[in-house]
Amino acid sequence: MSQEKLAKEIVELVGGEKNVESLVHCATRLRFVLKDDAKADKAKLEKTEGIIAVKENGGQFQVVVGNKVPEVYSAIGQISNILDDSSDKEKPRKAAKGLGGIIDIISSIFAPLLGVMAGAGILKGLLLIASNIGWLETTETTYTILYAAADSLFYFLPLLLAVTTARKFQGNMFVAMTIAGALIYPSIVTLKSEGTPTDFFGIPVILMNYSSTVIPIILAVIVMSKLEKFFNKTLHDSVKNFVTPLFLLVIMVPLTLLVFGPFGVYVGNGIAAGLVAAFGFSPLLAGAVMGASWQLLVIFGIHWGLIPVFINNVAVYGQDGVKPAATASIFAQTGAAFGVMLKTKNKKLKTLAGSSTLTALFGITEPAIYGVTLPLKRPFIAGVIGGAVGGAIIGQAGTLAFASGAPGLLTLPIFYGPGGQGFPGLILGIVVSFVVSAVLTYIMGFKDPVEEETKTEPAASAEQPVRATNASDEVVFSPIQGTIVELSEVPDPAFASGAMGKGIAIEPAVGRVVAPFDGTVTVAFKKKHALAVVSDTGAEILVHVGVDTVKLDGQHFVSHIKEGDRVQAGDLLLEFDIAQIKAAGYHTVTPIIVTNSANYEEVIPQATGQVSSQELLLKLSSGNGQEQK
């Protein structure tokens, strides 16, 4: 599929251009902020050729497309006005709150810089190696020119962060850059370096070194964007275009130097010192925790909270001892994907695992995680174990990072410091993490997907997985998107014991229930928490959202059906608010029960791990024949 065609499909399936509040991208993901997440068709996106996975984290709707993300991002800019800062933004969605809101802000600010940051980091690492082994002297002008190319991004980082922060908060990016420029203006730098007592109208100013800093300019631009909106609403249209920037500069530059600058530097240094202290207390344990947890943090988007810390450590100390251990996690999941490639007999999975392994070696692990290890479960666990072992080795070795960049084969030079101290430990750690994960994956095994046949089930739609069954077999497609849970693990004895019938359960990721097949609604509970549908061929399915949710008396549920309604597979039956149900103290795990299980010889689950709405979920076998392989 061409990038332009893929871009068109993505824009359409996220709800159209008008539903997009903003869009940035990182190494593998398009990161949308949507005005209404319910308008996005996540199930169809996940089945679209060229899309690896779709995730919702930190207030962002993330479409994982792999290494081609810059081309797809550019194509979206060509076919729409989504990337146009001057385009009209109608009814912006309410910003995410709490941890999700913080993650959304950090990822939106830093994601656009990751590519150039990695390139500059690699160059900086190569220069470190060249100077340490005597290939280039630091006094040579060649070194000076190349070092300027490598270090300029980090030195002028406040200017770049001013742009991305202003874009995130819809402020004037040129005013934001001017404020950032004032922080590193030569005369201000001179006042700091010479220790000149400085005041602003008698108020003492504590000067800091703001080159390479992160927090001060982000705080300043956030406040600037709020003030800008106030002035633009207050001032007359005839003067606001030049008076608003005047007021912002006069207010924000002194305020940043007086308040935000020192506060941001102290906070950044405090966090950095805390992590350094943790590694100082027990580098082996801290390294193991980081190596085991980094990919888990990536899955939930929480890793964005640590990226500013890594950058701050390099800026303040010239080195970072936290990030190296995360490298073990990258190579561990790479090894797990490699183990799957060696063991699986499924040709499609073998190809996917092989290509994902190659990509992950260069630091892009999303295809390996979302396409291979996480859906198979055990390989992902093997990767976590391998990451812990490798991280412990790297932590104990005292490996340091001397520049920023996503961990991978190409960025290994950023960990090579004076004399190469700690670098052998890094190499040993990543090799061990790779090998341990690959071996564990091979030994522990996984449920190898059966090769799918497409010859004997012509009734399946083009959007549904096709699986060969007997004419007497029946299939049930997933009514909910989420994570598969064994029925026995549902915290309700009536369901867990199988007394209600055989089936499966799903921990929902999206609060929507759709029809699992063509049929008729036989029960629509008044409390809206459950419903039952019978297929045209007689299969009776009960969908019960949550445990004890009948006590909510219909709160947080919206029903779209009544008893006797005819429905087709995929029709919306019910919506529910996951966050509100959980906040009320109820489980949202949803049993999907075949209430007439006695009519079938077997009720066979067909999905594991993550399941999309309308993906094949259950096969009901009458036993009148053999399944085709």
Side-chain angles (χ1 to χ4, degrees):
M1 182 184 296
S2 69
Q3 310 303 0
E4 183 176 339
K5 184 177 179 182
L6 179 58
K8 287 180 180 178
E9 291 200 25
I10 290 173
V11 172
E12 178 183 347
L13 292 175
V14 298
E17 182 176 339
K18 291 185 178 180
N19 193 40
V20 179
E21 176 65 23
S22 64
L23 171 64
V24 296
H25 76 84
C26 58
T28 60
R29 308 183 192 194
L30 295 167
R31 296 174 175 270
F32 290 91
V33 175
L34 302 180
K35 295 171 184 175
D36 185 356
D37 288 346
K39 291 182 179 180
D41 194 332
K42 187 174 180 181
K44 284 188 178 180
L45 275 168
E46 289 178 322
K47 295 174 184 176
T48 300
E49 180 185 349
I51 294 177
I52 297 168
V54 180
K55 301 293 173 183
E56 294 178 77
N57 284 327
Q60 293 183 337
F61 191 88
Q62 303 173 11
V63 181
V64 184
V65 295
N67 293 335
K68 60 190 174 186
V69 68
E71 291 81 5
V72 178
Y73 178 83
S74 177
I76 290 176
Q78 293 173 7
I79 65 168
S80 71
N81 294 318
I82 290 174
L83 306 185
D84 184 0
D85 288 321
S86 65
S87 61
D88 293 333
K89 304 286 185 183
E90 335 174 326
K91 296 182 181 179
R93 67 175 252 164
K94 189 175 182 181
K97 295 182 179 179
L99 180 61
I102 294 172
I103 291 170
D104 174 36
I105 291 170
I106 295 175
S107 62
S108 296
I109 291 172
F110 284 93
L113 303 178
L114 292 184
V116 65
M117 194 172 286
I122 293 169
L123 179 56
K124 204 168 187 179
L126 291 173
L127 287 173
L128 283 170
I129 294 175
S131 62
N132 285 333
I133 63 179
W135 287 356
L136 272 178
E137 295 294 333
T138 57
T139 54
E140 294 181 48
T141 54
T142 299
Y143 180 91
T144 301
I145 293 171
L146 290 175
Y147 192 82
D151 194 53
S152 63
L153 178 143
F154 303 100
Y155 184 88
F156 294 106
L157 188 59
L159 287 167
L160 300 177
L161 293 176
V163 173
T164 56
T165 307
R167 182 169 184 173
K168 171 63 180 174
F169 289 91
Q170 298 180 343
N172 187 315
M173 65 177 65
F174 299 106
V175 175
M177 289 177 67
T178 304
I179 294 171
L183 299 181
I184 54 178
Y185 193 71
S187 59
I188 299 295
V189 173
T190 300
L191 288 175
K192 162 65 178 173
S193 61
E194 294 181 353
T196 305
T198 306
D199 67 84
F200 182 74
F201 288 114
I203 303 174
V205 176
I206 302 174
L207 291 176
M208 300 283 181
N209 180 10
Y210 292 110
S211 64
S212 304
T213 56
V214 171
I215 298 178
I217 191 59
I218 292 176
L219 293 175
V221 175
I222 291 173
V223 174
M224 181 214 80
S225 67
K226 306 298 182 184
L227 285 176
E228 181 183 359
K229 291 178 176 63
F230 169 76
F231 287 132
N232 283 339
K233 288 180 180 178
T234 305
L235 297 173
H236 193 273
D237 289 346
S238 62
V239 299
K240 69 180 182 181
N241 285 342
F242 52 88
V243 174
T244 293
L246 169 65
F247 285 172
L248 293 177
L249 291 174
V250 171
I251 294 171
M252 290 309 306
V253 172
L255 189 61
T256 302
L257 290 172
L258 286 166
V259 180
F260 301 133
F263 174 77
V265 170
Y266 287 140
V267 168
N269 290 354
I271 296 173
L275 286 172
V276 169
F279 271 79
F281 174 74
S282 176
L284 187 144
L285 178 60
V289 171
M290 179 63 73
S293 64
W294 180 252
Q295 288 301 323
L296 292 169
L297 299 180
V298 170
I299 289 173
F300 292 103
I302 302 173
H303 69 299
W304 286 105
L306 290 175
I307 288 176
V309 177
F310 297 160
I311 296 172
N312 187 79
N313 281 349
V314 173
V316 174
Y317 302 108
Q319 59 193 31
D320 170 55
V322 182
K323 181 177 181 176
T327 308
S329 184
I330 303 290
F331 284 89
Q333 290 299 325
T334 307
F338 183 71
V340 171
M341 183 193 73
L342 294 179
K343 191 173 184 68
T344 182
K345 295 180 181 179
N346 183 298
K347 294 179 181 178
K348 183 177 179 181
L349 180 58
K350 186 178 288 289
T351 300
L352 175 61
S355 62
S356 299
T357 298
L358 183 62
T359 303
L361 284 171
F362 296 96
I364 309 301
T365 56
E366 277 88 347
I369 292 174
Y370 296 124
V372 181
T373 64
L374 193 58
L376 296 175
K377 294 182 181 178
R378 289 181 183 175
F380 185 81
I381 295 171
V384 170
I385 296 171
V389 176
I393 294 172
I394 293 171
Q396 189 63 36
T399 307
L400 300 172
F402 297 90
S404 298
L409 283 181
L410 291 178
T411 53
L412 291 182
I414 70 175
F415 302 103
Y416 190 94
Q421 182 180 358
F423 191 72
L426 174 81
I427 301 302
L428 177 61
I430 62 177
V431 170
V432 168
S433 63
F434 182 95
V435 172
V436 167
S437 300
V439 171
L440 281 178
T441 296
Y442 199 90
I443 294 173
M444 292 167 59
F446 47 86
K447 187 175 181 180
D448 202 6
V450 178
E451 290 286 351
E452 295 182 352
E453 301 288 347
T454 59
K455 297 178 181 179
T456 60
E457 197 176 17
S461 72
E463 294 180 356
Q464 295 169 344
V466 180
R467 206 177 277 261
T469 62
N470 293 310
S472 56
D473 289 339
E474 295 187 51
V475 293
V476 178
F477 296 98
S478 180
I480 293 178
Q481 176 181 322
T483 305
I484 295 293
V485 177
E486 294 292 336
L487 197 60
S488 60
E489 297 178 11
V490 174
D492 185 323
F495 292 114
S497 66
M500 300 287 291
K502 297 178 182 178
I504 203 164
I506 297 176
E507 182 62 50
V510 178
R512 290 165 55 91
V513 177
V514 301
F517 39 53
D518 296 347
T520 304
V521 177
T522 55
V523 180
F525 288 87
K526 292 182 180 180
K527 306 291 187 180
K528 307 174 186 177
H529 66 294
L531 56 90
V533 186
V534 60
S535 74
D536 293 339
T537 50
E540 298 172 5
I541 298 296
L542 170 68
V543 180
H544 192 289
V545 178
V547 176
D548 292 331
T549 47
V550 64
K551 297 177 183 178
L552 289 170
D553 200 28
Q555 292 185 73
H556 317 310
F557 292 92
V558 177
S559 177
H560 296 279
I561 44 92
K562 61 182 182 299
E563 291 180 8
D565 280 354
R566 280 284 303 163
V567 294
Q568 293 183 326
D571 284 353
L572 179 62
L573 308 181
L574 177 69
E575 291 181 286
F576 55 99
D577 191 321
I578 297 173
Q580 291 294 334
I581 293 172
K582 288 183 176 180
Y586 295 91
H587 292 284
T588 56
V589 63
T590 300
I592 296 143
I593 305 297
V594 182
T595 53
N596 62 338
S597 300
N599 293 355
Y600 302 96
E601 182 173 309
E602 291 182 283
V603 175
I604 309 169
Q606 300 292 298
T608 59
Q610 303 296 314
V611 64
S612 300
S613 175
Q614 287 296 282
E615 184 177 338
L616 185 59
L617 183 68
L618 298 171
K619 188 179 72 175
L620 315 182
S621 175
S622 63
N624 297 328
Q626 297 294 322
E627 180 181 358
Q628 296 180 17
K629 297 289 185 179

